[in-house]
Amino acid sequence: MSEEEDIVLSELNDDELVEQMFDDLYDGLKEEIEEGVNILLERGWTPYDILTKALVGGMTIVGHDFRDGILFVPEVLLAANAMKGGMFILKPLLAETGAPRVGKMVIGTVKGDIHDIGKNLVSMMMEGAGFEVVDLGINNPVENYLEALETESPDILGMSALLTTTMPYMKVVIDTLTEQGLREDYIVLVGGAPLNEEFGKAIGADAYCRDAAVAVETAKDFMSRKHNQLAG
Ligand code: B1M
């Protein structure tokens, strides 16, 4: 029997278990990730800590080895699938806070880009904070955003891009909103690993959000300003 088969996740202490989950995520072992998430929940970990410390932590290692040519697309897809298994368990728990609805957001990954893990995480955290979220999925041309803005009337438009080649498309969407006289109707928040504050400003977004927690804080901040303006 191999050494790996001997590992009983529930017998590991928290640190060992998180380390093991990094390995399991790396190896794309969805069932093991789901088991690890459930064990940490039973041990009283908050869903947020499990997400950020065990799942996102593991994905960061995958990201480095993908960059360095140690892992390739098929392996990364398996890792992403395992991560989604864990996120699926956490999603209802993050949304369970019972917070009153604080606003509505339409979010999608831009045209040409199929990365959705970060966007999904942002959606989950926003829902957990009491926002209603309409998720347009991946590879969205400007028409999709416009249609959703019209039918959903959100407060916030969120866009995600993970590639340096797709991030300029965010400007296409914002410029189209401006041309159609709609830009001021929405709070536009952008995010994704290759972006930064400067880029967010340059394309005319209201804010760049470094991660999902910052997205929630920024969205809340803009919503309270909006309410103050309406009241004032
Ligand atoms: Co892709 N990929 N990938 N990939 N991939 C990156 C992005 C890359 C940096 C890897 C690398 O080389 N180091 C690189 C981009 C390089 C560049 O542009 N400079 C890259 C590449 C090159 C590619 C392909 C071109 C590879 C190829 O085919 N040769 C290809 C492109 C496909 C396409 O989109 N057209 C590709 C494909 C893939 C997979 C399909 C295999 C898979 C995606 C699976 C999926 O998403 N369902 C994949 C993955 C998983 C990655 C890495 C490893 C991980 C991304 C991730 O999920 N991170 C990534 C490496 C990396 O980023 N370090 C990489 C975890 C996630 C929680 O973080 O997405 O950053 P992140 O989201 C954060 C914040 O950015 C922020 O909050 C999130 C949570 O905290 N945020 C927002 C994100 N969106 C937001 C929106 C907001 C607010 C905040 O709105 C309000």
Side-chain angles (χ1 to χ4, degrees), residues 171 174-175 196-205:
K171 184 169 179 336
I174 294 176
D175 286 351
N196 57 34
E197 198 109 27
E198 211 180 347
F199 175 80
K201 281 206 185 96
I203 62 169

Side-chain angles (χ1 to χ4, degrees), residues 102 155 184 187 222-232:
V102 284
D155 307 286
E184 296 311 314
I187 298 157
F222 274 99
M223 286 309 296
S224 67
R225 281 194 235 170
K226 187 172 168 176
H227 287 140
N228 289 341
Q229 268 171 13
L230 290 175

Side-chain angles (χ1 to χ4, degrees), residues 3-79:
E3 204 181 300
E4 303 232 331
E5 280 167 312
D6 286 329
I7 296 171
V8 178
L9 293 181
S10 59
E11 287 174 0
L12 303 177
N13 69 32
D14 285 11
D15 286 347
E16 290 165 348
L17 178 57
V18 169
E19 280 294 320
Q20 184 59 40
M21 285 173 74
F22 287 175
D23 284 352
D24 290 343
L25 193 78
Y26 194 94
D27 294 334
L29 302 175
K30 187 176 176 200
E31 279 176 24
E32 282 76 358
I33 287 297
E34 288 166 346
E35 189 186 341
V37 166
N38 283 324
I39 294 170
L40 289 175
L41 282 172
E42 278 162 25
R43 291 186 189 171
W45 277 50
T46 63
Y48 180 73
D49 274 353
I50 300 175
L51 250 186
T52 51
K53 294 186 181 150
L55 299 183
V56 176
M59 201 46 148
T60 306
I61 301 171
V62 171
H64 289 155
D65 282 4
F66 188 31
R67 178 196 61 206
D68 297 342
I70 298 165
L71 287 179
F72 297 95
V73 171
E75 288 114 326
V76 179
L77 269 178
L78 280 176

Side-chain angles (χ1 to χ4, degrees), residues 66-67 76 112 114-118 160 162-164 192-193 210-212:
F66 188 31
R67 178 196 61 206
V76 179
I114 62 167
H115 294 87
D116 67 354
I117 296 174
S160 180
L162 264 287
L163 301 171
T164 43
R210 192 183 62 240
D211 58 30

